[in-house]
Each structure stands twice: as structure tokens, then as C-alpha cells.
Amino acid sequence: MAEHDDTSGGRRERWREDFPIGTEDDRYVARREFAKSLTIGSALLVLVNGAIAAVARWVRKPAQMGEESRIGKASELPTGGSMLFRYPTDEDPCILVRTRSGSLRAYSQVCTHLSCAVVHQPQQDELLCPCHRGRFDVNDGRPVAGPPLRRLPRVWIEQRGDDVFAVGRDS
């Protein structure tokens, strides 16, 4: 085959004659190919999310036992009172509460909804997250109102005489 002039005045390559595909058709993606790509992409996302969830569940430990840390004296905490402390590191704010029944409970002070600091509400015997009005039961840390869905992580404490120690923490 002889080479022919194209519309721009130059020589036309031979392969363009053998494969006459217009540039408009080069970018065309069939509906079936597009749906196939979406299906494969969605399946990959589901598999990756499942793998991440499985690894996170396998790696998570139910309780972190660390070094014990003295929180304070139990006699300094009246019924309905609370005390702030840090455990297991200085970056982890926690709260120790004496409930109406007189028992001591300790939790992470970080709300499980959006990480705002919870405060003790002695009148209701609850822990309140002021950011979105989330409320937690002071006896077990479970959410009772608002957007939080998960319990507050519990800090395990021991009382030795009048001293209260933090000895572990839920993750």
C-alpha cells in the first residue's frame, strides 16, 4: 500500500491505514466494562476492609496491664465526687468517681464518640460529654444517651488501705 497525504499536508503512517480507529472511539468505555470495573473495585474494597477488621480484632487485647500508678487517697474523694488523673501515660486522661453507692470506678476521660473529655455529673450519677450531650452510666461506663455507641474504656483500680492505684486498662 502506498502512503497517502493526510489533511494536514504530511505523510500518513501505514499503520493508521491498517488500523483505522478514530480518536473519538479511543476513549469510549463500554457500559459492561465500566460496570465490571466498579464491581471489581467494590469487591477489593470489601476484602481490604474485612482484612483490616480481622487483623484489628486479632491484635486488640482486652486489657492492657501496665505499671501500676497511685491515683490518690480514697478518703479524699467524697460520695458523688470525682478526681482526674493520667494513666497509663501522661497523654491518657482518666477520671476516678465515687458513685452514690460509695464504690470507686475509673474510666478513660475520652468520649468514645468524638474524643471530647467527659465530666462527672454527680446529680445524675453519670458522666457527660458536653460536645454532643452524650451520657455514660457511672457504674459500668455504658452509653445511656446521645450519639456514643461504645462504653468508656475502664481503668482497673485497686484500693490498698486508703491508697487507690490504677493497675490496668481496657483497650
Side-chain angles (χ1 to χ4, degrees), residues 4 43 48 58 86 88 93 120 144 150 161 164 166 168:
H4 300 288
V48 167
W58 178 70
R86 305 240 173 211
H120 184 226
V144 293
R150 293 172 288 143
V164 180

Side-chain angles (χ1 to χ4, degrees), residues 71-85 94-107 119-127 136-140 154-155 157-165:
I71 299 172
K73 295 200 172 282
S75 60
E76 295 174 355
L77 198 59
T79 300
S82 62
M83 177 186 301
L84 301 179
F85 65 99
C94 299
I95 186 167
L96 175 67
V97 177
R98 186 178 295 273
T99 65
R100 287 184 191 164
S101 65
S103 61
L104 292 172
R105 301 279 190 257
Y107 301 98
V119 293
H120 184 226
Q121 298 287 301
Q123 300 82 9
Q124 292 84 17
D125 214 20
E126 293 179 336
L127 296 168
F136 298 89
D137 187 327
V138 78
N139 292 305
D140 59 6
R154 186 165 185 182
V155 177
I157 56 174
E158 287 181 7
Q159 186 172 350
R160 299 180 196 142
D162 196 32
D163 291 327
V164 180
F165 292 87

Side-chain angles (χ1 to χ4, degrees), residues 39-104:
T39 303
I40 290 172
S42 297
L44 285 174
L45 285 174
V46 167
L47 290 173
V48 167
N49 279 330
I52 290 172
V55 167
R57 189 171 197 181
W58 178 70
V59 170
R60 184 184 311 165
K61 297 175 185 171
Q64 296 174 344
M65 299 305 278
E67 293 182 22
E68 59 183 46
S69 174
R70 184 178 175 280
I71 299 172
K73 295 200 172 282
S75 60
E76 295 174 355
L77 198 59
T79 300
S82 62
M83 177 186 301
L84 301 179
F85 65 99
R86 305 240 173 211
Y87 182 81
T89 70
D90 286 340
E91 304 298 317
D92 300 305
C94 299
I95 186 167
L96 175 67
V97 177
R98 186 178 295 273
T99 65
R100 287 184 191 164
S101 65
S103 61
L104 292 172

